[in-house]
C-alpha cells in the first residue's frame, strides 16, 4: 500500500490520501445526482400533489395539505387494493412453482446446454411484453386452440371463458415476470456445491430430505430475490388486467393509470400511487427481515 | 411399466423443465405463426399464408419510426445507465466511505417501487415544472430506472473477482491506473456487458414508464398497445419476432466467441 502511494501520489503522501477519501464520492456523484433529481424529487412532488384539493378552474388543484385524501382513497379503493395484492401474491407463488424446477434443471441437469437455456429464459423479453400478452389473449380466446381442444375433450363447457377472467390476469402476471423469478433462483442454485448434496445422500437422506434440508435452505437468497422481483412489478401492473381481464378484475394500477391519463384527477392518482409504494415497501421490508437477508442490493 | 416408472422418476425434473420452456415459448410461437397471416385490418383470425408482412415490415404507418425511437432511446439510455451505474458499483465494491447506507437505500428504492409509481411521479414533476414530455423525458426516465439494475449486476461481478490478480499486477510494478486498465477492467467487462444488456432489454421493452412520459413520441411498445384495440398489423409480429431472434443470435454468438477465446487462451 505504501509503495502504491509513493508511486502514484507524488511528493506529499497526504495528497494521495485525500484523493482516496474523495474518490468514492466522485464515483457516486453523477449517478446519485441523477437518482435524487429524477427519482427522489419526483416522489416528493408526488407526495405534495397527493394532499391537494380541486381548485376553482377545471383541472386546477390547490395545496391544502389535506391528509384526509389518504383515508378517502383507501376507503374508496379498498376492493382494488385487496384484489391487487391477492393477485400479485398468487401470481408470485405460481411463478415460483414454475421457475424452481426450471432453474434447478438448468443449474444441475443441463450440462453443456446451460448457457443456451439461460439465454432462452431471458429471450422472450425481446419479443415485446405487450405483444406476448395479446398473444395469450388470442390463444385463450373462445375460438383459440386451447379452448377448442378443451371443448373437444369435454373438459370445459362452451359458455365458460378463459380470457376476460381473474384466471387469465393471474396467469398473465405469472407469465410476464417469470424470468425475474428464474434468474435469481438459478444464480443461487448454481452457487451450491454439489458435494453438500452428495454428503446428504451419503448420510442416508433420501432425495426429498436432501432437498428439504440442504438444497432449499441454501437456495433461499434466490427465492427471496426472485419473489420480490416478481411481486413488485406484478403489484404495480395494469397491462395484464387491461388486456386479459374484465371490469371486475380491475387492479389498483388500472385505477391509477386512468386517474392520471383519462380523468386527470392528479391528487387522487398521486395519493393512490404513494399508498401503493408504501404498502409494497412495507411488505418487502417485513419479508426481507423475516427471511433473514440483510443485504438489500 | 416398471422401467418406464423409473425412467420417469429419473427424468421428472427434465420433463418439467421442457414443460416450463414450452409455456414460456407458446406466445412467441403464436406471434411467429401469425406474422405470416394474410391479415385484413386486424390480425386476429387466420386468413392464409403470405410472406408480404416480412418483405415489407414498414408498410403500416408509424411502425418503423416507433421501432427507430425504441432503438435510439434504448441505446442512449443504456450508455447513460451503464456509465453511471458502473461508477457507483466501483464505489460500493471498492471503497469504505460514510453514507453507504444512504447510497444503498437510494439504489434499492427504485427497484422496490412499481414502474407505475416511477412513471407517474416523474410525469407529475415534469408537469409541475412546465416541461413538455417527449423523446428526452423518456431517455431520462429510462436511465433512472436502469441504473440500479446495472449497479447490482456490475457490483456482483467486482465482488467475485480474485483480489490476488490485482495484487500480482502491483507486485509486477504496474501502477494503480495500469492495474485498473489492464487487469481490473477486462475482468469486470463481462459484468458491465451483462448490465448493459439488461439495461437495453428493460428500456426497449418498457411500456408503463414510457407511457407516462412520452408526450407525442411513440415507441414500439406504445405502438403495439395503442393499436391493440383497433387491430394490430401483422408487421408488429414480424418486428417482435425479429427482435427476439436478433437478441438470441447476439447473445449466443457472444457466448460462442467467449468460449473460443477461453479455449485459445
Amino acid at each position: 500500500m505504501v509503495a502504491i502511494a509513493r508511486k502514484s501520489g507524488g511528493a506529499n503522501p497526504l495528497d494521495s490520501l485525500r484523493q482516496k477519501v474523495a474518490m468514492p464520492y466522485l464515483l457516486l456523484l453523477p449517478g446519485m445526482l441523477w437518482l435524487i433529481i429524477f427519482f427522489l424529487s419526483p416522489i416528493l412532488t408526488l407526495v405534495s400533489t397527493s394532499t391537494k384539493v380541486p381548485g376553482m378552474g377545471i383541472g386546477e388543484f390547490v395545496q391544502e395539505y389535506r391528509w384526509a385524501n389518504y383515508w378517502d382513497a383507501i376507503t374508496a379503493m379498498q376492493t382494488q387494493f385487496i384484489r391487487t395484492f391477492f393477485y400479485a401474491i398468487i401470481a408470485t407463488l405460481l411463478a415460483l412453482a414454475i421457475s424452481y424446477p426450471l432453474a434447478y434443471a438448468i443449474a444441475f441437469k443441463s450440462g453443456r446446454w446451460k448457457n443456451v437455456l439461460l439465454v432462452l429464459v431471458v429471450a422472450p423479453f425481446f419479443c415485446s411484453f405487450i405483444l406476448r400478452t395479446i398473444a395469450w389473449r388470442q390463444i385463450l380466446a373462445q375460438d383459440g386452440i386451447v379452448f377448442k381442444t378443451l371443448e373437444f375433450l369435454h373438459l370445459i363447457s362452451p359458455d365458460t371463458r378463459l380470457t376476460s377472467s381473474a384466471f387469465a390476469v393471474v396467469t398473465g402476471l405469472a407469465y410476464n415476470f417469470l424470468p425475474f423469478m428464474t434468474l435469481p433462483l438459478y444464480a443461487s442454485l448454481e452457487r451450491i456445491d454439489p458435494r453438500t448434496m452428495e454428503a446428504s445422500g451419503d448420510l442416508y437422506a433420501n432425495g426429498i430430505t436432501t432437498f428439504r434440508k440442504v438444497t432449499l435452505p441454501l437456495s433461499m437468497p434466490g427465492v427471496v430475490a426472485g419473489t420480490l422481483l416478481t411481486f413488485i412489478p406484478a403489484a404495480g401492473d395494469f397491462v395484464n388486467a387491461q388486456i386479459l381481464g374484465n371490469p371486475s378484475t380491475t387492479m389498483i394500477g388500472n385505477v391509477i393509470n386512468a386517474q392520471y391519463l383519462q380523468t386527470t384527477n392528479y391528487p387522487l392518482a398521486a395519493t393512490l400511487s404513494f399508498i401503493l409504494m408504501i404498502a409494497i415497501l412495507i411488505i418487502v421490508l417485513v419479508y426481507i427481515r423475516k427471511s433473514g437477508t440483510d443485504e438489500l442490493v | 411399466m416398471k422401467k418406464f416408472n423409473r425412467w420417469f422418476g429419473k427424468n421428472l425434473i427434465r420433463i418439467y423443465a421442457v414443460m416450463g420452456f414450452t409455456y414460456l415459448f407458446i406466445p412467441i410461437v403464436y406471434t411467429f405463426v401469425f406474422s405470416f397471416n394474410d391479415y385484413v385490418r386486424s390480425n386476429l383470425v387466420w386468413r392464409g399464408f403470405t410472406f408480404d408482412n416480412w418483405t415489407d415490415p414498414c408498410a403500416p404507418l408509424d411502425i418503423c419510426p416507433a421501432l427507430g425511437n425504441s432503438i435510439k432511446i434504448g441505446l442512449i439510455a443504456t450508455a447513460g445507465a451503464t456509465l453511471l451505474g458502473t461508477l457507483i458499483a466501483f464505489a460500493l465494491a471498492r471503497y469504505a466511505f460514510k453514507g453507504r447506507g444512504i447510497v444503498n437505500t437510494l439504489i434499492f428504492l427504485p427497484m422496490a417501487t412499481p414502474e407505475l409509481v416511477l412513471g407517474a411521479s416523474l410525469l407529475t414533476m415534469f408537469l409541475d415544472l412546465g416541461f413538455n414530455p417527449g423523446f428526452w423525458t423518456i431517455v431520462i426516465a429510462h436511465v433512472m430506472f436502469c441504473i440500479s439494475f446495472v449497479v447490482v449486476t456490475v457490483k456482483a461481478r467486482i465482488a467475485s473477482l480474485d483480489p490476488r490478480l490485482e495484487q500480482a499486477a502491483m507486485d509486477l510494478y504496474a501502477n494503480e491506473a495500469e492495474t485498473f486498465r489492464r487487469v481490473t477492467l477486462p475482468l469486470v467487462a463481462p459484468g458491465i456487458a451483462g448490465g448493459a444488456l439488461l439495461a437495453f432489454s428493460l428500456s426497449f421493452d418498457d411500456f408503463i414508464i414510457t407511457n407516462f412520459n412520452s408526450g407525442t413520441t411513440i415507441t414500439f411498445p406504445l405502438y403495439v398497445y395503442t393499436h391493440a384495440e383497433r387491430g394490430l398489423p401483422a408487421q408488429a409480429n414480424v418486428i417482435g419476432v425479429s427482435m427476439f431472434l436478433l437478441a438470441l443470435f447476439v447473445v449466443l454468438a457472444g457466448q460462442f466467441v467467449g468460449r473460443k477465446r477461453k479455449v485459445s487462451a
Side-chain angles (χ1 to χ4, degrees):
Chain A
M1 219 45 199
V2 179
I4 305 155
R6 206 183 299 139
K7 261 184 139 218
S8 62
N12 188 350
L14 260 180
D15 276 353
S16 95
L17 195 67
R18 228 169 267 141
Q19 266 173 24
K20 275 254 157 64
V21 175
M23 193 60 177
Y25 295 109
L26 287 175
L27 292 172
L28 290 170
L29 190 69
M32 284 297 129
L33 272 182
W34 198 282
L35 288 180
I36 288 167
I37 298 171
F38 299 116
F39 167 70
L40 210 56
S41 54
I43 298 288
L44 296 177
T45 320
L46 187 78
V47 178
S48 111
T49 308
S50 72
T51 54
K52 285 183 180 172
V53 295
M56 299 302 265
I58 295 166
E60 198 184 290
F61 300 99
V62 273
Q63 183 60 277
E64 295 258 330
Y65 298 101
R66 188 170 181 277
W67 294 98
N69 277 356
Y70 280 84
W71 183 244
D72 295 351
I74 289 179
T75 39
M77 297 298 164
Q78 206 178 0
T79 344
Q80 282 87 343
F81 269 113
I82 293 170
R83 186 185 293 139
T84 298
F85 288 112
F86 181 65
Y87 283 4
I89 289 169
I90 304 281
T92 307
L93 293 176
L94 195 62
L96 180 64
I98 296 168
S99 282
Y100 202 101
L102 198 61
Y104 188 94
I106 299 174
F108 297 120
K109 306 275 180 186
S110 59
R112 58 200 202 85
W113 292 99
K114 192 185 272 185
N115 286 334
V116 177
L117 293 181
L118 267 181
V119 173
L120 286 181
V121 171
V122 203
F125 264 144
F126 286 88
C127 181
S128 170
F129 148 61
I130 294 173
L131 215 48
R132 284 179 294 138
T133 312
I134 293 171
W136 270 123
R137 184 178 66 183
Q138 298 316 126
I139 293 165
L140 295 174
Q142 220 76 357
D143 48 3
I145 184 159
V146 175
F147 197 91
K148 284 272 184 264
T149 316
L150 290 175
E151 203 183 1
F152 179 74
L153 297 169
H154 293 283
L155 290 170
I156 202 166
S157 79
D159 40 85
T160 23
R161 301 201 61 171
L162 290 173
T163 43
S164 308
S165 65
F167 165 78
V169 176
V170 172
T171 47
L173 289 170
Y175 175 82
N176 273 314
F177 305 116
L178 203 65
F180 286 127
M181 181 69 89
T182 313
L183 291 182
L185 277 176
Y186 164 80
S188 69
L189 281 168
E190 207 252 344
R191 237 175 274 155
I192 298 176
D193 188 338
R195 283 174 297 185
T196 54
M197 295 187 240
E198 282 163 29
S200 161
D202 290 346
L203 295 166
Y204 300 104
N206 61 25
I208 295 167
T209 316
T210 302
F211 176 75
R212 211 162 46 83
K213 299 261 185 182
V214 180
T215 319
L216 187 61
L218 285 172
S219 66
M220 269 326 267
V223 175
V224 174
T227 43
L228 286 180
L229 286 177
T230 311
F231 175 79
I232 295 165
D237 184 79
F238 66 87
V239 177
N240 285 285
Q242 182 93 26
I243 296 178
L244 299 168
N246 61 42
S248 68
T249 61
T250 306
M251 291 172 73
I252 201 67
N254 302 73
V255 179
I256 296 176
N257 190 48
Q259 290 299 334
Y260 256 109
L261 302 176
Q262 285 147 34
T263 324
T264 58
N265 184 349
Y266 296 122
L268 178 60
T271 311
L272 291 170
S273 302
F274 196 61
I275 296 172
L276 178 67
M277 182 187 176
I278 295 300
I280 288 179
L281 259 184
I282 291 172
I283 294 174
V284 166
L285 291 177
V286 168
Y287 182 62
I288 290 177
R289 191 57 54 81
K290 285 257 183 216
S291 59
T293 324
D294 14 84
E295 262 295 273
L296 290 181
V297 261
Chain B
M1 200 59 206
K2 215 173 179 184
K3 226 176 176 178
F4 172 78
N5 275 345
R6 191 176 302 157
W7 175 88
F8 187 76
K10 235 180 142 182
N11 287 290
L12 185 62
I13 192 91
R14 286 195 182 87
I15 295 164
Y16 201 102
V18 169
M19 281 165 60
F21 274 111
T22 312
Y23 176 60
L24 215 47
F25 280 89
I26 285 174
I28 295 183
V29 172
Y30 173 90
T31 308
F32 181 68
V33 170
F34 272 74
S35 72
F36 294 103
N37 189 12
D38 193 7
Y39 77 103
V40 180
R41 288 197 48 230
S42 76
N43 191 9
L44 297 177
V45 234
W46 183 257
R47 300 176 58 101
F49 186 89
T50 177
F51 275 118
D52 290 356
N53 311 318
W54 281 83
T55 50
D56 196 7
C58 289
L61 198 68
D62 290 342
I63 197 167
C64 282
L67 177 67
N69 278 339
S70 275
I71 294 173
K72 266 186 268 174
I73 291 167
L75 290 177
I76 304 172
T78 301
T82 308
L83 178 68
L84 299 180
T86 304
L87 294 179
I88 297 176
F90 268 103
L92 284 172
R94 280 296 158 87
Y95 294 92
F97 57 90
K98 270 190 199 151
R100 193 184 192 83
I102 298 172
V103 173
N104 271 331
T105 311
L106 206 51
I107 301 291
F108 171 73
L109 272 181
M111 290 195 292
T113 308
E115 284 193 35
L116 184 73
V117 179
L118 294 177
S121 62
L122 201 53
L123 176 69
T124 314
M125 188 179 83
F126 285 142
L127 289 178
D128 269 18
L129 297 176
F131 255 49
N132 267 337
F135 184 90
W136 289 104
T137 52
I138 304 178
V139 172
I140 287 174
H142 285 200
V143 171
M144 179 267 291
F145 83 85
C146 288
I147 287 180
S148 304
F149 289 95
V150 175
V151 172
V152 174
T153 318
V154 177
K155 202 181 123 194
R157 178 78 192 179
I158 302 173
S160 73
L161 287 190
D162 188 343
R164 284 173 299 184
L165 291 169
E166 286 166 298
Q167 282 160 18
M170 299 240 189
D171 286 347
L172 295 166
Y173 298 103
N175 64 27
E176 251 177 304
E178 270 174 316
T179 307
F180 180 79
R181 197 166 51 82
R182 303 187 57 166
V183 179
T184 317
L185 204 56
L187 287 170
V188 180
I192 299 176
L197 195 69
L198 184 62
F200 185 81
S201 58
L202 290 172
S203 160
F204 184 79
D205 200 20
D206 180 75
F207 168 70
I208 294 180
I209 295 180
T210 313
N211 187 37
F212 276 101
N213 294 288
S214 58
T216 52
T217 307
I218 292 187
T219 64
F220 183 60
L222 285 185
Y223 178 91
V224 176
Y225 187 78
T226 49
H227 287 73
E229 296 310 316
R230 282 177 273 158
L232 193 62
Q235 276 84 351
N237 295 32
V238 172
I239 290 174
V241 172
S242 307
M243 288 308 296
F244 166 77
L245 293 175
L246 189 70
L248 213 58
F249 175 77
V250 168
V251 179
L252 289 179
Q255 296 247 335
F256 185 70
V257 171
R259 200 174 297 167
K260 247 192 157 172
R261 200 180 288 161
K262 218 176 261 173
V263 171
S264 64

